[in-house]
Amino acid sequence: MRALAERPGKRLRSVLLHAAAVGATNPHLVRLAALVELLHLASLLHDDVVDRGTSRRGAPSARATVGDELATLAGLACFALAGREAAELGDGLETVVARAAAGLAYGEILDVERAFDIDLSLPDYLELVERKTGDLFRLSCSLGAAAAGADSDTLAASGRFGAELGVAFQILDDCLDLATIESGKPVGTDHLLGLFGAPTLFALAADGTGELATLLLDPAFDRDDLPAVRAHVTASGGLAAAHELARDRYQIALAALDGLDSPRRTSLTEVAAMIWPESA
């Protein structure tokens, strides 16, 4: 857990929290940011166990270093630490954090259950993305706005922005599984586990020949088959369709900011621009 904390990545969730809390003088802002990062660390530890990941943030994953059992327990410890922070901070925060943690867990369950499901519908895919990623982005923005003493309308708008931005972010991350560029994780890992993101789901729906489904479900499928998958998905328009879906959710996120005060809207928009690559 400490090794992951020392390689913090972009800290997107805590950055979003601070952006939503622009102008706040709340003395607990850092603890709130640490809380959302603890939840994220927990999800990463458990993700790597579920996905059998061997690396994370440019180094061996926790489960590759100490085994699945200790990595799972470390994830539970992160969840517990986040819960303790929420309880100590009070004001009903423990309930809000518990709901977000439950959403994360539910998203992980959906992810496992849909493995090798070539008929997964887009609404079902979006449900798991909303739980797996959107809920924590929502929590970050909501906590930040609350820390700044925002009214109920601002809290709701900030939460909607976070949830939609999280969905856009996750769809783009699924696109990276087909990328040839360095993405910070072994390319194609999701496909080897039968976890098909938006690009592949769009391609499967458009594939009248059934060739892509046959390839993905072949018991002998391995990394050598990934270029063929990438070719199928790209040629069928799956990658382009997924990018368009991500763009749509990104625009919905920005639209949620329309009624916010200028400093908070500007602050959150700047973070959103960091997340959304120009090439997307």
Side-chain angles (χ1 to χ4, degrees):
M1 189 175 80
R2 183 178 296 112
L4 265 180
E6 290 171 350
R7 302 190 304 275
K10 298 182 182 68
R11 291 195 182 99
L12 289 178
R13 288 107 190 131
S14 52
V15 169
L16 278 169
L17 188 148
H18 279 275
V22 62
T25 58
N26 191 310
H28 300 310
L29 202 56
V30 172
R31 292 182 70 183
L32 290 169
L35 189 157
V36 297
E37 289 296 342
L38 280 169
L39 289 176
H40 186 224
L41 279 180
S43 72
L44 294 183
L45 288 162
H46 287 174
D47 268 350
D48 285 339
V49 172
V50 171
D51 297 346
R52 299 191 290 278
T54 57
S55 65
R56 173 69 67 175
R57 294 176 178 170
S61 64
R63 50 92 49 185
T65 303
V66 299
D68 288 343
E69 294 84 359
L70 282 178
T72 300
L73 291 172
L76 290 174
C78 285
F79 277 123
L81 286 169
R84 188 176 72 181
E85 280 291 289
E88 289 180 357
L89 290 169
D91 292 329
L93 188 59
E94 61 272 23
T95 301
V96 177
V97 170
R99 285 175 182 158
L104 281 171
Y106 182 52
E108 287 290 349
I109 291 171
L110 291 176
D111 216 13
V112 172
E113 286 183 341
R114 60 104 182 205
F116 296 100
D117 184 357
I118 59 172
D119 297 315
L120 185 73
S121 69
L122 186 62
D124 286 343
Y125 163 81
L126 289 173
E127 180 188 13
L128 77 87
V129 168
E130 287 162 2
R131 300 288 77 79
K132 183 178 178 181
T133 306
D135 278 359
L136 191 49
F137 275 58
R138 180 198 300 274
L139 177 68
S140 300
C141 293
S142 297
L143 290 183
D151 58 34
S152 59
D153 288 343
T154 298
L155 285 172
S158 299
R160 286 195 303 273
F161 164 80
E164 292 294 338
L165 188 67
V167 171
F169 176 80
Q170 185 59 55
I171 295 171
L172 283 178
D173 191 64
D174 288 343
C175 292
L176 286 178
D177 199 53
L178 290 166
T180 56
I181 60 172
E182 178 59 41
S183 62
K185 65 178 181 179
V187 173
T189 298
D190 291 347
H191 286 80
L192 295 173
L193 296 169
L195 305 179
F196 310 135
T200 304
L201 293 174
F202 276 120
L204 284 165
D207 182 20
T209 67
E211 292 180 7
L212 179 57
T214 300
L215 176 62
L216 292 170
L217 297 180
D218 187 337
F221 182 81
D222 60 21
R223 291 186 184 279
D224 291 338
D225 295 307
L226 291 175
V229 172
R230 186 179 297 113
H232 271 290
V233 174
T234 303
S236 67
L239 199 58
H243 274 294
E244 188 61 30
L245 177 61
R247 187 181 299 278
D248 287 345
R249 300 305 285 253
Y250 179 76
Q251 294 299 330
I252 293 172
L254 294 182
L257 302 177
D258 286 347
L260 299 188
D261 59 85
S262 182
R264 181 173 286 107
R265 183 173 65 251
T266 299
S267 182
L268 288 171
T269 300
E270 288 175 351
V271 178
M274 290 166 49
I275 291 173
W276 187 263
E278 292 183 5
S279 59

